[in-house]
């Protein structure tokens, strides 16, 4: 089977696959960045401090 890359159908299919890959990659990165922005050092610190106090009691 010989695939000619100049065939318009092949070019369209490859373009759609690349577009889908970029869209899903962008969604993943947006989710990761959103979770990073939500992090709070102060909140995490107090949560860890409460957990340590529970373990010590």
């Amino acid at each position: 089977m010989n695939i000619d890359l100049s065939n318009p159908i092949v070019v369209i299919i490859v373009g759609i696959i690349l577009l889908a890959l970029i869209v899903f990659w962008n969604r993943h990165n947006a989710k990761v960045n959103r979770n990073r922005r939500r992090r709070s050092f102060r909140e995490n610190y107090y949560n860890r401090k409460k957990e340590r106090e529970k373990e010590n009691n």
Side-chain angles (χ1 to χ4, degrees), residues 3 7 13-15 17 29-30 32-33 36 43-45 49-51 57:
I3 298 176
N7 187 349
I13 291 172
V14 169
I17 291 171
N29 287 339
V32 168
N33 285 336
R36 284 182 183 158
E43 184 177 324
N44 290 340
Y45 173 79
K49 186 176 178 181
K50 286 179 187 177
E51 289 175 8
N57 290 335

Side-chain angles (χ1 to χ4, degrees), residues 2-32:
N2 191 6
I3 298 176
D4 187 14
L5 295 178
S6 63
N7 187 349
I9 295 173
V10 173
V11 172
I12 291 171
I13 291 172
V14 169
I16 291 172
I17 291 171
L18 288 175
L19 183 64
L21 181 68
I22 290 171
V23 167
F24 287 116
W25 189 13
N26 186 32
R27 284 185 184 178
H28 173 74
N29 287 339
K31 183 175 70 172
V32 168

